[in-house]
């Protein structure tokens, strides 16, 4: 998998908010889809309800953007839960785990991609916790490779919380698919900001170029390898 990704024929991306899937792994998703893999995604919140002055139309717009991003990158939404934004810490962990387990049962992934425990965003960390529980290795369970990725701003603003820094150990060359990632972010235009904000297209590209430069490619997405079992 680490050379060609050819073994990841089914991938499940589990995120807190619609747009995280693109920021975290848009290049990887597009690359896997282009290589014939089936990629599914699950998000937990509407992504907007915590904002001051948020309207129902904002959630509708976010839904449309999520559908556009899926079409551009070549993945399908297994589900988009409409739970309140920034309130996943109020949800019971078993209820979140049950959703992830349902997605795992239906999609039967070889690879699961989710958030990093280094993120400032509490929803992100809660989703990671649910994924870790749902994918805990059992003797009779399917072996799944589990990785966590970074989201510009959320992953890089957590100094002071005492969380471990994001320390990538797996890099994916997304040079050929990066333009599709930017196109998908344009679908989420209402979520993006003007440079030098961290959540800008320029910052996303700068991160991809930096990650790529550390491994000798033009652009890369970086991940922490949480678990992989080799037969």
């Amino acid at each position: 998998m680490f050379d060609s990704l050819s073994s990841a024929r089914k991938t499940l991306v589990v995120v807190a908010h619609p747009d995280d899937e693109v920021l975290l792994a848009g290049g990887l998703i597009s690359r896997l889809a282009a290589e014939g893999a089936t990629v599914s995604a699950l998000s937990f919140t509407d992504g907007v309800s915590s904002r001051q002055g948020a309207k129902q139309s904002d959630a509708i717009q976010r839904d449309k953007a999520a559908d556009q991003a899926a079409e551009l990158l070549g993945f399908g939404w297994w589900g988009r839960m409409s739970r309140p934004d920034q309130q996943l810490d109020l949800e019971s962990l078993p209820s979140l785990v049950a959703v992830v387990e349902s997605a795992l049962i239906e999609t039967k992934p070889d690879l699961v991609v989710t958030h990093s425990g280094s993120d400032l965003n509490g929803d992100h960390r809660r989703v990671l916790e649910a994924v870790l529980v749902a994918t805990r290795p059992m003797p009779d369970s399917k072996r799944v490779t589990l990785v966590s990725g970074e989201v510009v701003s959320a992953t890089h603003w957590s100094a002071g919380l005492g969380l471990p820094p994001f320390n990538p150990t797996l890099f994916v060359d997304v040079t050929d698919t990066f333009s599709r990632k930017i196109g998908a972010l344009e679908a989420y235009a209402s979520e993006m900001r003007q440079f030098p904000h961290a959540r800008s297209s320029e910052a996303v590209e700068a991160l991809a170029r930096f990650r790529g430069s550390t491994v000798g490619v033009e652009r890369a997405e970086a991940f922490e390898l949480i678990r992989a079992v080799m037969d």
Side-chain angles (χ1 to χ4, degrees):
M1 172 193 153
F2 305 114
D3 292 330
S4 66
L5 301 176
S6 60
S7 64
R9 306 316 300 157
K10 295 182 180 180
T11 295
L12 177 65
V13 181
V14 186
V15 294
H17 319 98
D19 82 342
D20 287 335
E21 79 286 352
V22 181
L23 291 163
L24 189 152
L28 170 61
I29 290 170
S30 183
R31 176 172 171 172
L32 290 171
E35 293 177 357
T38 299
V39 183
S40 305
L42 162 65
S43 66
F44 273 92
T45 81
D46 57 29
V48 297
S49 57
S50 67
R51 298 174 183 175
Q52 187 174 5
K55 304 181 292 293
Q56 180 62 30
S57 59
D58 296 330
I60 294 172
Q61 181 183 28
R62 191 71 165 262
D63 269 343
K64 291 180 179 178
D67 288 334
Q68 292 171 10
E71 183 175 357
L72 285 166
L73 296 181
F75 72 92
W77 283 103
W78 178 85
R80 292 199 298 268
M81 308 295 106
S82 298
R83 302 189 178 189
D85 184 35
Q86 299 306 322
Q87 295 186 42
L88 290 183
D89 59 322
L90 303 179
E91 300 270 353
S92 73
L93 183 59
S95 72
L96 301 179
V97 171
V99 176
V100 179
E101 287 178 336
S102 294
L104 291 169
I105 290 170
E106 290 190 21
T107 62
K108 297 178 175 58
D110 309 299
L111 171 67
V112 175
V113 182
T114 192
H115 291 290
S116 169
S118 304
D119 286 8
L120 174 62
N121 191 296
D123 281 352
H124 292 191
R125 299 197 306 273
R126 191 65 164 166
V127 167
L128 170 64
E129 187 177 9
V131 170
L132 288 173
V133 174
T135 60
R136 59 197 185 280
M138 299 291 185
D140 57 349
S141 63
K142 180 178 180 179
R143 293 174 180 174
V144 173
T145 296
L146 179 60
V147 302
S148 62
E150 59 188 335
V151 172
V152 287
S153 72
T155 308
H156 311 120
W157 286 349
S158 61
L161 282 183
L163 299 172
F166 181 75
N167 185 29
T169 51
L170 173 63
F171 298 81
V172 179
D173 185 349
V174 297
T175 303
D176 293 338
T177 58
F178 188 76
S179 62
R180 294 178 212 159
K181 174 170 181 164
I182 293 298
L185 288 178
E186 290 173 356
Y188 286 114
S190 64
E191 304 306 311
M192 303 301 288
R193 301 292 181 263
Q194 294 295 315
F195 187 79
H197 194 285
R199 184 160 296 200
S200 62
S201 294
E202 293 90 342
V204 171
E205 177 156 14
L207 179 62
R209 284 183 174 275
F210 170 69
R211 293 303 186 195
S213 72
T214 66
V215 292
V217 301
E218 288 187 20
R219 294 175 179 84
E221 286 176 342
F223 301 90
E224 294 171 317
L225 177 60
I226 297 175
R227 183 186 306 116
V229 179
M230 297 182 65
D231 292 326

